[in-house]
Amino acid sequence: MAQQLNAGTRPRPAMTKFLAWLPIVALAIFILTPLLSSLTYSFFRSDGSFTTSGLTGLADSGKIVAPLTRSLIVSVLAAAVLIATVVPAVVAVHLWAPKMRSVLSILCTLPLVVPAIAIVAGLSAVLRNLASHGRGSLGMELNTILQSQDLPLVLVGTYVVLCLPFTFRSIDAGLSTLPLRTLYESSSILGARMGTTLWKVVMPNIRGPIIFSAFFTFALSIAEYTVAATLSINTLPVFLNTLSSTNFRGSITLSVLLNLTTWLLLASATLSASRFGHRSQAEPPPTAANEPRKEVEIS
């Protein structure tokens, strides 16, 4: 009798499979519906005929070149600065100060609990204070350099702070899976310098987290609007918002292209991290001990 009841209440395999796919289908509908609607509006008129007026309007005006170039430069610089600062810092903490790891984790996670608009408000107050020293002063010069429309360094610094939590978590998780101290001591015994160890031993073993962090930072930076608009810097998202008042179809087309680019970057980051992660697990770590003695740099 109990077996009959259990058999009656046991969910069917087809029903279980349907329930497992239901959240994925609902999420796909939630994400793809506005994207497909935007694509339809961008490339089809109300009578159903195909049109590329949105793209040709963007190309003909030529106003997109400056904000697009500015956004690309800022995004690449933000990714490069973040990787160049976070990786050595996390490696140093893992090697020589493991007790400081929790402190560094808290400091790097702080931008998650501080709203972006609060960061921008504080940054604006600092810039106003620099400008208040008057024309020709050092503060005014710094204010001009930081907010230069050609290379707005203030955006680079802000995007580095905003992406810091995700980059730290990714690099820290990658280093936690390595016998880092063993690799470092083996490399040092063979005479390799710290820079050689970091470049030839540590970096190849965390290529996945590094590539993921770089792609993620680039994708977030090139699509960020709040900080750039508040500081009145004409980046690609700010230009998109301005364009909507004069060329609405063109602004929708540009937003679709920007969304697709961001998605492709994040998908590439995920696939690259997975690929290099599997390769690192399958292959022995390329330590200095595996290299011929003559290739090791003697300090």
Side-chain angles (χ1 to χ4, degrees):
M1 186 65 180
Q3 293 178 353
Q4 292 178 355
L5 289 176
N6 290 333
T9 57
R10 186 179 302 168
R12 299 176 180 176
M15 180 62 71
T16 304
K17 186 178 294 185
F18 173 76
L19 292 176
W21 278 97
L22 185 60
I24 299 176
V25 173
L27 182 63
I29 293 174
F30 179 76
I31 294 175
L32 292 179
T33 299
L35 184 62
L36 292 177
S37 301
S38 300
L39 276 173
T40 303
Y41 179 79
S42 300
F43 295 103
F44 293 95
R45 295 189 180 92
S46 56
D47 58 357
S49 59
F50 182 76
T51 179
T52 58
S53 59
L55 290 175
T56 55
L58 291 174
D60 294 340
S61 65
K63 297 179 180 178
I64 191 176
V65 177
L68 176 60
T69 306
R70 190 175 297 117
S71 291
L72 289 174
I73 294 175
V74 168
S75 303
V76 171
L77 278 179
V81 170
L82 194 58
I83 296 300
T85 53
V86 172
V87 171
V90 180
V91 170
V93 167
H94 274 257
L95 278 178
W96 299 299
K99 292 183 179 178
M100 295 296 293
R101 183 181 171 191
S102 57
V103 177
L104 184 63
S105 175
I106 293 173
L107 292 177
C108 292
T109 313
L110 274 180
L112 280 180
V113 298
V114 180
I117 192 65
I119 296 177
V120 178
L123 194 57
S124 300
V126 172
L127 293 174
R128 282 197 303 271
N129 187 30
L130 290 175
S132 65
H133 292 82
R135 182 173 298 178
S137 63
L138 178 61
M140 190 64 186
E141 292 294 331
L142 285 175
N143 183 39
T144 304
I145 294 173
L146 289 175
Q147 298 190 79
S148 170
Q149 289 292 327
D150 295 330
L151 181 58
L153 294 176
V154 65
L155 286 186
V156 177
T158 307
Y159 295 159
V160 166
V161 172
L162 293 178
C163 298
L164 184 59
F166 310 101
T167 303
F168 170 78
R169 288 296 180 192
S170 178
I171 302 298
D172 183 66
L175 287 175
S176 298
T177 61
L178 294 177
L180 187 60
R181 179 162 292 280
T182 302
L183 295 175
Y184 172 73
E185 291 177 350
S186 301
S187 180
S188 299
I189 289 173
L190 293 175
R193 296 176 180 174
M194 182 59 200
T196 305
T197 302
L198 184 64
W199 182 254
K200 291 188 175 180
V201 178
V202 178
M203 296 284 281
N205 284 283
I206 55 173
R207 280 178 298 185
I210 289 176
I211 292 175
F212 177 83
S213 302
F215 275 94
F216 180 84
T217 304
F218 185 89
L220 189 144
S221 301
I222 202 170
E224 200 282 331
Y225 171 78
T226 305
V227 178
T230 306
L231 296 177
S232 301
I233 298 175
N234 190 23
T235 58
L236 187 60
V238 176
F239 171 77
L240 189 152
N241 184 48
T242 307
L243 184 68
S244 62
S245 59
T246 57
N247 184 2
F248 190 67
R249 188 183 296 277
S251 67
I252 297 298
T253 306
L254 183 59
S255 67
V256 170
L257 295 178
L258 189 59
N259 277 332
L260 291 176
T261 303
T262 306
W263 283 19
L264 287 175
L265 287 173
L266 292 178
S268 301
T270 304
L271 292 176
S272 300
S274 176
R275 176 187 173 191
F276 285 114
H278 289 312
R279 181 178 296 179
S280 299
Q281 291 176 1
E283 298 177 354
T287 61
N290 296 334
E291 299 179 354
R293 184 62 179 265
K294 61 181 181 181
E295 297 180 1
V296 177
E297 185 176 354
I298 305 300
S299 58

